[in-house]
Amino acid sequence: MAIRIEGKLLAAQVKERVAAGVKELKEKGIEPCLAVIMVGENPASQVYVKGKVKDCAECGIKSLEIHLPAETTQNELLQKLAELAGDAGVHGLLVQLPLPAHIDEKTVIEAIPPQKDVDGFTAVNVGRMMIGEECFLPCTPAGCMEMIRSTGVSISGKNAVVIGRSNIVGKPAAMLLLRENATVTICHSRTENLKQVCANADILVAAVGRAGFVTGDMIKPGAVVIDVGINRNAQGKLCGDVDYDAAAEKAGYITPVPGGVGLMTRAMLMQNTLQAAQKQALAK
């Protein structure tokens, strides 16, 4: 039976380290601050923002919530971003996605200064990640890596499979695994022999967005299984992309849903915000 990788425990450890770093900055007269902009009243976004504000409070980070109506124009949003980008008291800046259809997501993301891009979404930070330079790593893939490392399993030389090729999770997760010398395969909707490819994975990251997509016969005995998915099954129960019970029979380590990657994503955002404040303090 697989060992559960407890996101709650690992996230608490990360936030404890962040809180210590925040305390040190405050003693120097610097109060780390994260600004979050939400456009519209998307229920899921409201939950996510509430969670981020809660994490900030736990870590001693100041949080600014900016709620804009759904009819906000793209120019109005860009003006608000420019205002926060120019505010020296704001160290981390993010726009909660998704945005209303009339606003171009790419344009908005690129309006965030790379030094305040604590989501790690701008082309500058993505490019730096690709070539191995210091940058803000996207929070979910960074959280996945922390969870894999927590098992004590060496990543170097292992066969790693990532199911999903999104810019937010799949591609960066593959890049971070590659940076630690795994041999990486990215799978997607057109991958042939998906079951066989996955069954050869020492490390399997599922980020496809389909409940129970990864079945027990796709798991290599002893593998590390990281389930990024957050879905609702037919009964309305929260679940991941992996059939947990079947996978846990074969895997060596596995993340639960809920209580897994989602909590680590939020913790890594806190870590990025602290680092942003530290870097901006040094740059003065």
Side-chain angles (χ1 to χ4, degrees):
M1 194 71 178
I3 297 170
R4 279 168 61 107
I5 307 173
E6 297 291 354
K8 186 174 182 179
L9 176 63
L10 291 173
Q13 291 171 353
V14 172
K15 289 194 286 187
E16 189 176 329
R17 294 197 301 268
V18 170
V22 169
K23 185 170 180 284
E24 285 182 16
L25 281 182
K26 284 185 174 179
E27 288 169 354
K28 298 174 183 176
I30 300 160
E31 184 178 29
C33 174
L34 172 66
V36 181
I37 299 177
M38 189 173 83
V39 183
E41 302 295 331
N42 182 295
S45 293
Q46 290 177 327
V47 171
Y48 293 141
V49 169
K50 186 178 179 181
K52 289 167 184 174
V53 170
K54 177 175 176 285
D55 289 335
C56 283
E58 289 177 4
C59 294
I61 294 170
K62 179 181 178 181
S63 61
L64 297 178
E65 292 178 79
I66 297 94
H67 292 269
L68 301 177
E71 59 271 18
T72 299
T73 68
Q74 181 166 302
N75 281 340
E76 287 170 339
L77 175 55
L78 292 174
Q79 285 171 7
K80 175 55 71 173
L81 272 173
E83 176 188 321
L84 293 166
D87 186 342
V90 173
H91 303 99
L93 177 56
L94 66 86
V95 178
Q96 186 66 43
L97 303 178
L99 290 167
H102 66 278
I103 297 176
D104 182 62
E105 193 173 286
K106 183 179 177 183
T107 300
V108 169
I109 288 171
E110 289 307 316
I112 299 171
Q115 69 271 22
K116 296 190 179 188
D117 170 33
V118 288
D119 262 337
F121 287 170
T122 61
V124 169
N125 278 314
V126 172
R128 286 174 178 163
M129 178 184 66
M130 287 290 292
I131 61 177
E133 289 188 355
E134 186 179 347
C135 63
F136 291 117
L137 298 176
C139 300
T140 297
C144 291
M145 295 303 294
E146 289 281 340
M147 299 184 95
I148 295 167
R149 293 189 201 101
S150 76
T151 67
V153 172
S154 173
I155 298 172
S156 182
K158 296 295 194 297
N159 286 324
V161 170
V162 179
I163 311 175
R165 52 179 168 178
S166 73
N167 291 332
I168 293 175
V169 181
K171 290 177 186 175
M175 185 52 53
L176 295 181
L177 285 161
L178 184 62
R179 274 173 51 168
E180 297 203 21
N181 301 314
T183 300
V184 185
T185 302
I186 303 177
C187 296
H188 44 79
S189 59
R190 298 188 185 181
T191 299
E192 296 182 358
N193 304 315
L194 178 63
K195 188 177 292 186
Q196 293 91 318
V197 175
C198 292
N200 192 44
D202 303 302
I203 299 168
L204 180 63
V205 178
V208 69
R210 290 173 59 184
F213 181 80
V214 177
T215 52
D217 56 359
M218 296 167 71
I219 307 296
K220 180 179 180 178
V224 178
V225 179
I226 307 295
D227 189 351
V228 182
I230 300 178
N231 314 289
R232 296 275 178 187
N233 62 16
Q235 292 74 43
K237 184 181 177 183
L238 202 63
C239 62
D241 290 347
V242 178
D243 180 344
Y244 182 89
D245 292 338
E249 291 291 331
K250 293 176 72 176
Y253 298 88
I254 190 168
T255 61
V257 177
V261 174
L263 294 171
M264 282 301 291
T265 296
R266 286 166 43 185
M268 301 315 290
L269 175 63
M270 298 300 105
Q271 181 169 290
N272 280 355
T273 302
L274 170 62
Q275 289 174 351
Q278 290 169 331
K279 288 177 183 178
Q280 288 166 52
L282 287 172
K284 286 183 179 179

